[in-house]
Coordinates of all heavy atoms in Angstrom, one line a residue:
M1074 N 36.9 -67.6 -17.6 CA 35.6 -67.4 -16.8 C 35.9 -67.8 -15.3 O 36.6 -68.7 -15.0 CB 34.5 -68.3 -17.3 CG 34.1 -68.0 -18.8 SD 33.5 -66.3 -19.1 CE 31.9 -66.4 -18.2
C1075 N 35.3 -67.0 -14.5 CA 35.4 -67.2 -13.0 C 34.6 -68.5 -12.7 O 33.5 -68.7 -13.2 CB 34.9 -66.0 -12.3 SG 35.0 -66.2 -10.5
S1076 N 35.2 -69.3 -11.8 CA 34.4 -70.5 -11.4 C 33.3 -70.3 -10.4 O 32.5 -71.2 -10.1 CB 35.4 -71.5 -10.8 OG 36.0 -71.0 -9.7
H1077 N 33.2 -69.1 -9.9 CA 32.2 -68.8 -8.9 C 30.8 -68.5 -9.6 O 29.9 -69.1 -9.3 CB 32.6 -67.6 -8.1 CG 31.6 -67.1 -7.1 ND1 31.0 -65.9 -7.1 CD2 31.0 -67.8 -6.1 CE1 30.1 -65.8 -6.1 NE2 30.1 -67.0 -5.5
A1078 N 30.8 -67.5 -10.5 CA 29.5 -67.1 -11.1 C 29.6 -66.7 -12.5 O 28.9 -65.8 -13.0 CB 28.8 -66.1 -10.3
R1079 N 30.6 -67.3 -13.2 CA 30.8 -67.1 -14.7 C 31.0 -65.7 -15.1 O 30.5 -65.2 -16.1 CB 29.5 -67.7 -15.4 CG 29.1 -69.0 -15.1 CD 30.0 -70.1 -15.6 NE 30.1 -70.1 -17.1 CZ 31.0 -70.6 -17.8 NH1 32.0 -71.3 -17.2 NH2 31.0 -70.6 -19.1
S1080 N 31.8 -64.9 -14.4 CA 32.2 -63.6 -14.8 C 33.5 -63.7 -15.6 O 34.3 -64.6 -15.4 CB 32.4 -62.7 -13.5 OG 32.7 -61.4 -13.9
R1081 N 33.7 -62.7 -16.4 CA 34.9 -62.7 -17.3 C 36.1 -62.3 -16.6 O 36.2 -61.1 -16.2 CB 34.6 -61.9 -18.5 CG 33.5 -62.4 -19.4 CD 33.2 -61.3 -20.5 NE 34.3 -60.9 -21.3 CZ 34.6 -61.5 -22.5 NH1 33.8 -62.3 -23.0 NH2 35.7 -61.1 -23.1
L1082 N 37.1 -63.2 -16.4 CA 38.3 -62.8 -15.7 C 39.2 -61.9 -16.6 O 40.1 -61.2 -16.1 CB 39.1 -64.0 -15.3 CG 38.4 -64.9 -14.2 CD1 39.2 -66.1 -14.0 CD2 38.2 -64.0 -13.0
S1083 N 38.9 -61.9 -17.9 CA 39.6 -61.0 -18.8 C 39.3 -59.5 -18.5 O 40.0 -58.6 -18.9 CB 39.3 -61.3 -20.3 OG 38.0 -61.2 -20.5
D1084 N 38.2 -59.3 -17.8 CA 37.8 -57.9 -17.3 C 38.3 -57.7 -15.9 O 38.0 -56.7 -15.3 CB 36.3 -57.7 -17.4 CG 35.8 -57.8 -18.8 OD1 36.5 -57.4 -19.7 OD2 34.6 -58.2 -19.0
G1085 N 39.0 -58.7 -15.3 CA 39.5 -58.6 -13.9 C 40.8 -57.8 -13.8 O 41.2 -57.1 -14.7
Y1086 N 41.4 -57.9 -12.6 CA 42.5 -57.1 -12.3 C 43.8 -58.0 -12.2 O 43.8 -58.9 -11.4 CB 42.3 -56.4 -10.9 CG 41.0 -55.7 -10.9 CD1 39.9 -56.3 -10.3 CD2 40.8 -54.5 -11.7 CE1 38.6 -55.6 -10.3 CE2 39.5 -53.9 -11.7 CZ 38.5 -54.5 -11.0 OH 37.2 -53.9 -11.1
L1087 N 44.7 -57.7 -13.0 CA 45.9 -58.6 -13.1 C 47.0 -58.0 -12.1 O 47.2 -56.8 -12.1 CB 46.5 -58.5 -14.5 CG 47.7 -59.3 -14.8 CD1 47.5 -60.8 -14.7 CD2 48.3 -58.9 -16.2
D1088 N 47.5 -58.9 -11.3 CA 48.7 -58.6 -10.4 C 49.9 -59.4 -11.0 O 50.0 -60.6 -10.7 CB 48.4 -59.0 -9.0 CG 49.5 -58.6 -8.0 OD1 50.6 -58.4 -8.5 OD2 49.2 -58.4 -6.8
E1089 N 50.6 -58.8 -11.8 CA 51.8 -59.5 -12.5 C 52.8 -59.9 -11.4 O 53.4 -61.0 -11.6 CB 52.4 -58.5 -13.5 CG 51.6 -58.2 -14.7 CD 52.2 -57.3 -15.7 OE1 53.4 -57.5 -15.9 OE2 51.6 -56.4 -16.1
K1090 N 53.0 -59.1 -10.4 CA 54.0 -59.5 -9.4 C 53.6 -60.8 -8.7 O 54.4 -61.7 -8.4 CB 54.2 -58.3 -8.4 CG 55.5 -58.3 -7.7 CD 55.6 -57.0 -6.9 CE 57.0 -56.9 -6.4 NZ 57.2 -55.6 -5.7
A1091 N 52.3 -60.9 -8.3 CA 51.8 -62.0 -7.6 C 51.4 -63.1 -8.5 O 51.1 -64.2 -8.0 CB 50.6 -61.6 -6.7
C1092 N 51.3 -62.9 -9.8 CA 50.9 -63.8 -10.8 C 49.5 -64.3 -10.5 O 49.2 -65.5 -10.5 CB 51.9 -65.0 -10.9 SG 51.7 -66.0 -12.4
T1093 N 48.6 -63.3 -10.3 CA 47.2 -63.6 -10.0 C 46.3 -62.7 -10.8 O 46.7 -61.7 -11.3 CB 46.9 -63.4 -8.5 OG1 47.1 -62.0 -8.2 CG2 47.7 -64.3 -7.6
V1094 N 45.0 -63.1 -10.9 CA 44.0 -62.3 -11.5 C 42.8 -62.3 -10.5 O 42.5 -63.3 -9.9 CB 43.5 -62.8 -12.8 CG1 42.9 -64.2 -12.8 CG2 42.5 -61.8 -13.5
E1095 N 42.2 -61.1 -10.3 CA 41.1 -60.9 -9.4 C 39.8 -60.7 -10.2 O 39.8 -59.9 -11.1 CB 41.4 -59.7 -8.5 CG 40.2 -59.4 -7.5 CD 40.5 -58.2 -6.6 OE1 41.7 -57.9 -6.4 OE2 39.6 -57.6 -6.2
C1096 N 38.8 -61.5 -9.8 CA 37.5 -61.4 -10.5 C 36.9 -60.0 -10.3 O 36.9 -59.5 -9.2 CB 36.6 -62.5 -10.0 SG 35.0 -62.4 -10.8
P1097 N 36.4 -59.3 -11.3 CA 35.8 -58.0 -11.2 C 34.5 -58.0 -10.5 O 34.0 -57.0 -10.1 CB 35.7 -57.5 -12.6 CG 35.5 -58.7 -13.4 CD 36.3 -59.8 -12.8
T1098 N 33.8 -59.2 -10.4 CA 32.5 -59.2 -9.9 C 32.4 -59.3 -8.3 O 31.8 -58.5 -7.7 CB 31.7 -60.3 -10.5 OG1 31.7 -60.2 -11.9 CG2 30.2 -60.3 -10.1
H1099 N 33.0 -60.4 -7.8 CA 33.0 -60.6 -6.3 C 34.4 -60.7 -5.7 O 34.5 -61.1 -4.6 CB 32.2 -61.8 -6.0 CG 30.8 -61.8 -6.5 ND1 30.4 -62.8 -7.4 CD2 29.8 -61.0 -6.3 CE1 29.1 -62.6 -7.7 NE2 28.7 -61.5 -7.1
N1100 N 35.4 -60.4 -6.5 CA 36.8 -60.3 -6.0 C 37.5 -61.6 -5.6 O 38.5 -61.6 -4.9 CB 36.9 -59.3 -4.9 CG 36.3 -57.9 -5.3 OD1 35.2 -57.7 -4.9 ND2 37.0 -57.2 -6.1
A1101 N 37.0 -62.7 -6.1 CA 37.8 -64.0 -5.9 C 39.2 -63.8 -6.6 O 39.3 -63.0 -7.6 CB 37.1 -65.2 -6.5
V1102 N 40.2 -64.4 -6.1 CA 41.6 -64.3 -6.7 C 42.0 -65.7 -7.1 O 41.9 -66.7 -6.4 CB 42.5 -63.7 -5.7 CG1 44.0 -63.7 -6.3 CG2 42.1 -62.3 -5.4
F1103 N 42.6 -65.8 -8.3 CA 43.1 -67.0 -8.9 C 44.6 -66.9 -9.2 O 45.0 -65.9 -9.7 CB 42.3 -67.4 -10.2 CG 40.9 -67.6 -9.9 CD1 40.0 -66.5 -10.1 CD2 40.4 -68.9 -9.6 CE1 38.6 -66.7 -9.9 CE2 39.0 -69.1 -9.4 CZ 38.1 -68.0 -9.5
S1104 N 45.3 -68.0 -9.0 CA 46.7 -68.2 -9.5 C 46.7 -68.3 -11.0 O 46.0 -69.1 -11.5 CB 47.3 -69.4 -8.8 OG 48.5 -69.7 -9.5
L1105 N 47.5 -67.5 -11.6 CA 47.6 -67.6 -13.1 C 48.5 -68.8 -13.5 O 48.4 -69.4 -14.6 CB 48.2 -66.4 -13.7 CG 47.4 -65.1 -13.6 CD1 48.1 -63.9 -14.1 CD2 46.1 -65.3 -14.4
A1106 N 49.3 -69.3 -12.5 CA 50.2 -70.4 -12.8 C 49.5 -71.7 -12.7 O 49.7 -72.6 -13.5 CB 51.4 -70.4 -11.9
T1107 N 48.6 -71.9 -11.7 CA 47.9 -73.2 -11.5 C 46.4 -73.1 -11.7 O 45.8 -74.2 -11.7 CB 48.2 -73.6 -10.0 OG1 47.6 -72.7 -9.1 CG2 49.7 -73.7 -9.8
G1108 N 45.8 -72.0 -11.6 CA 44.3 -71.9 -11.7 C 43.7 -72.0 -10.4 O 42.4 -71.9 -10.3
E1109 N 44.5 -72.3 -9.3 CA 43.9 -72.4 -8.0 C 43.1 -71.2 -7.5 O 43.6 -70.1 -7.7 CB 45.0 -72.7 -7.0 CG 44.6 -72.9 -5.6 CD 45.7 -73.1 -4.6 OE1 46.9 -73.1 -5.1 OE2 45.5 -73.3 -3.4
A1110 N 42.0 -71.4 -6.9 CA 41.2 -70.3 -6.3 C 41.9 -70.0 -5.0 O 42.0 -70.8 -4.1 CB 39.8 -70.7 -6.1
L1111 N 42.4 -68.7 -4.9 CA 43.2 -68.4 -3.7 C 42.4 -67.6 -2.7 O 42.8 -67.5 -1.5 CB 44.4 -67.5 -4.1 CG 45.4 -68.2 -5.1 CD1 46.4 -67.2 -5.6 CD2 46.0 -69.4 -4.4
E1112 N 41.3 -66.9 -3.1 CA 40.5 -66.1 -2.2 C 39.0 -66.3 -2.5 O 38.6 -66.4 -3.6 CB 40.9 -64.7 -2.3 CG 42.3 -64.4 -1.8 CD 42.6 -62.9 -1.6 OE1 41.6 -62.1 -1.5 OE2 43.8 -62.5 -1.7
F1113 N 38.2 -66.4 -1.4 CA 36.8 -66.5 -1.4 C 36.2 -65.4 -2.3 O 36.8 -64.3 -2.3 CB 36.3 -66.4 0.1 CG 34.9 -66.6 0.3 CD1 34.3 -67.8 0.3 CD2 34.0 -65.5 0.4 CE1 33.0 -68.0 0.5 CE2 32.7 -65.7 0.6 CZ 32.1 -66.9 0.6
P1114 N 35.1 -65.6 -2.9 CA 34.1 -66.7 -2.8 C 34.3 -67.9 -3.7 O 33.6 -68.8 -3.6 CB 32.8 -66.0 -3.1 CG 33.1 -65.0 -4.1 CD 34.5 -64.5 -3.7
A1115 N 35.3 -67.8 -4.6 CA 35.5 -69.0 -5.5 C 36.2 -70.1 -4.7 O 37.1 -69.8 -3.9 CB 36.3 -68.6 -6.7
D1116 N 35.8 -71.3 -4.9 CA 36.5 -72.4 -4.2 C 36.8 -73.5 -5.2 O 37.3 -74.6 -4.8 CB 35.6 -73.0 -3.0 CG 34.3 -73.4 -3.5 OD1 33.9 -73.4 -4.7 OD2 33.5 -73.8 -2.6
E1117 N 36.5 -73.3 -6.5 CA 36.9 -74.2 -7.5 C 38.0 -73.6 -8.4 O 37.9 -72.4 -8.7 CB 35.7 -74.6 -8.4 CG 34.6 -75.4 -7.6 CD 35.1 -76.8 -7.3 OE1 35.8 -77.4 -8.0 OE2 34.7 -77.2 -6.2
P1118 N 38.9 -74.4 -8.9 CA 40.0 -73.8 -9.8 C 39.4 -73.5 -11.2 O 38.3 -73.9 -11.5 CB 41.0 -74.9 -9.9 CG 40.2 -76.2 -9.7 CD 39.1 -75.8 -8.7
I1119 N 40.2 -72.7 -11.9 CA 39.9 -72.4 -13.3 C 41.0 -73.2 -14.1 O 42.1 -73.4 -13.7 CB 39.9 -70.9 -13.6 CG1 41.3 -70.3 -13.2 CG2 38.7 -70.2 -12.9 CD1 41.4 -68.9 -13.6
P1120 N 40.6 -73.5 -15.4 CA 41.6 -74.2 -16.2 C 42.8 -73.3 -16.6 O 42.6 -72.0 -16.7 CB 40.8 -74.6 -17.5 CG 39.6 -73.8 -17.5 CD 39.4 -73.3 -16.1
T1121 N 43.9 -73.8 -16.7 CA 45.1 -73.1 -17.2 C 45.7 -73.8 -18.4 O 45.4 -75.0 -18.6 CB 46.2 -72.9 -16.2 OG1 46.6 -74.2 -15.7 CG2 45.7 -72.1 -15.0
Y1122 N 46.4 -73.1 -19.3 CA 46.9 -73.7 -20.5 C 48.4 -73.3 -20.7 O 48.8 -72.2 -20.4 CB 46.1 -73.3 -21.7 CG 44.6 -73.5 -21.5 CD1 43.8 -72.5 -21.2 CD2 44.1 -74.8 -21.7 CE1 42.4 -72.7 -21.0 CE2 42.8 -75.0 -21.6 CZ 41.9 -74.0 -21.2 OH 40.6 -74.2 -21.0
G1123 N 49.2 -74.2 -21.2 CA 50.6 -73.9 -21.4 C 50.6 -72.9 -22.6 O 49.8 -73.0 -23.5
I1124 N 51.6 -72.0 -22.5 CA 51.8 -71.1 -23.6 C 53.3 -71.1 -24.0 O 54.2 -71.4 -23.2 CB 51.4 -69.6 -23.2 CG1 52.2 -69.2 -22.0 CG2 49.9 -69.6 -23.0 CD1 51.9 -67.7 -21.7
E1125 N 53.5 -70.6 -25.2 CA 54.9 -70.4 -25.7 C 55.0 -69.2 -26.6 O 54.1 -69.1 -27.5 CB 55.4 -71.7 -26.5 CG 56.8 -71.6 -26.9 CD 57.3 -72.9 -27.7 OE1 56.4 -73.8 -27.9 OE2 58.4 -72.9 -28.1
L1126 N 55.9 -68.3 -26.3 CA 56.1 -67.1 -27.1 C 57.2 -67.4 -28.1 O 58.4 -67.7 -27.7 CB 56.4 -65.9 -26.3 CG 56.6 -64.6 -27.0 CD1 55.3 -64.2 -27.7 CD2 57.0 -63.5 -26.0
V1127 N 56.9 -67.4 -29.4 CA 57.9 -67.6 -30.4 C 58.0 -66.3 -31.3 O 57.1 -66.1 -32.1 CB 57.6 -68.8 -31.3 CG1 58.7 -69.0 -32.3 CG2 57.5 -70.1 -30.4
G1128 N 59.0 -65.5 -31.1 CA 59.0 -64.2 -31.8 C 57.9 -63.4 -31.4 O 57.7 -63.1 -30.2
D1129 N 57.0 -63.0 -32.3 CA 55.8 -62.2 -32.0 C 54.6 -63.1 -31.9 O 53.5 -62.5 -31.7 CB 55.6 -61.1 -33.1 CG 56.7 -60.1 -33.0 OD1 57.3 -59.8 -32.0 OD2 56.9 -59.4 -34.1
D1130 N 54.7 -64.4 -32.0 CA 53.6 -65.3 -32.0 C 53.5 -66.0 -30.6 O 54.4 -66.5 -30.1 CB 53.7 -66.3 -33.1 CG 53.7 -65.7 -34.5 OD1 52.9 -64.7 -34.7 OD2 54.4 -66.2 -35.3
L1131 N 52.2 -66.0 -30.1 CA 51.9 -66.7 -28.9 C 51.2 -68.0 -29.2 O 50.1 -67.9 -29.8 CB 51.1 -65.8 -28.0 CG 50.7 -66.3 -26.6 CD1 52.0 -66.6 -25.8 CD2 49.8 -65.4 -25.9
Y1132 N 51.7 -69.1 -28.8 CA 51.1 -70.4 -29.0 C 50.4 -70.9 -27.7 O 51.1 -70.8 -26.6 CB 52.1 -71.4 -29.5 CG 52.6 -71.1 -30.8 CD1 53.7 -70.3 -31.0 CD2 51.9 -71.6 -32.0 CE1 54.2 -70.0 -32.3 CE2 52.4 -71.3 -33.2 CZ 53.5 -70.5 -33.4 OH 54.0 -70.2 -34.6
I1133 N 49.2 -71.3 -27.7 CA 48.4 -71.8 -26.6 C 48.1 -73.2 -26.7 O 47.6 -73.7 -27.8 CB 47.1 -71.0 -26.4 CG1 47.4 -69.5 -26.3 CG2 46.4 -71.5 -25.1 CD1 46.2 -68.6 -26.3
D1134 N 48.5 -74.0 -25.7 CA 48.3 -75.5 -25.8 C 46.9 -75.8 -25.3 O 46.7 -76.1 -24.1 CB 49.4 -76.2 -24.9 CG 49.3 -77.7 -25.1 OD1 48.7 -78.2 -26.0 OD2 50.0 -78.3 -24.2
L1135 N 45.9 -75.8 -26.2 CA 44.5 -76.0 -25.8 C 44.3 -77.5 -25.8 O 44.9 -78.2 -26.6 CB 43.6 -75.3 -26.8 CG 43.7 -73.8 -26.8 CD1 42.8 -73.2 -27.9 CD2 43.2 -73.2 -25.4
P1136 N 43.4 -78.0 -25.0 CA 43.0 -79.4 -25.0 C 42.3 -79.8 -26.2 O 41.6 -79.0 -26.8 CB 42.1 -79.6 -23.7 CG 41.6 -78.2 -23.5 CD 42.6 -77.2 -24.0
D1137 N 42.4 -81.1 -26.6 CA 41.7 -81.6 -27.8 C 40.3 -81.8 -27.4 O 40.0 -82.5 -26.3 CB 42.3 -82.9 -28.3 CG 43.7 -82.7 -28.8 OD1 44.0 -81.6 -29.3 OD2 44.5 -83.6 -28.6
D1138 N 39.3 -81.3 -28.1 CA 37.9 -81.6 -27.8 C 37.2 -82.1 -29.1 O 37.4 -81.8 -30.1 CB 37.1 -80.3 -27.4 CG 37.5 -80.0 -25.9 OD1 37.9 -80.8 -25.2 OD2 37.3 -78.8 -25.6
Ligands
FES181 S1 31.8 -64.1 -10.2 FE1 33.9 -64.2 -9.8 S2 34.0 -64.1 -7.6 FE2 31.9 -64.2 -8.1

C-alpha cells in the first residue's frame, strides 16, 4: 500500500532497472530495495521484506505479529 493515500502499489508501475515502483494514483515513487519514498507526494516509507527464491518457491520474511 502507498503511504500517501492507501492506494495499491501492486497496481502501480514497476521500473525494474531503477528498482522502483510508481503509485498509480498520484505518482509517488518508492525504492523497492529500501521502501524509501523517492518522489512527492509520499513522504513516508513503505515496509519492505526480505525474500529468497528457492527453485520455484519464493519465501517472504514477514514480521511476527
Ligand atoms: S495514493 Fe499513492 S501517491 Fe497518492
Side-chain angles (χ1 to χ4, degrees):
M1074 298 300 288
C1075 180
S1076 62
H1077 176 240
R1079 310 285 300 161
S1080 186
R1081 295 170 57 98
L1082 293 176
S1083 57
D1084 294 332
Y1086 311 103
L1087 181 66
D1088 184 335
E1089 293 179 42
K1090 201 171 192 176
C1092 194
T1093 59
V1094 62
E1095 180 178 333
C1096 178
T1098 305
H1099 306 119
N1100 306 101
V1102 175
F1103 297 90
S1104 165
L1105 292 174
T1107 66
E1109 179 184 3
L1111 300 174
E1112 290 190 26
F1113 185 82
D1116 57 7
E1117 294 292 325
I1119 55 172
T1121 59
Y1122 307 99
I1124 59 170
E1125 183 179 4
L1126 182 62
V1127 180
D1129 291 335
D1130 297 322
L1131 181 64
Y1132 293 88
I1133 302 172
D1134 187 13
L1135 296 173
D1137 295 328
D1138 285 339

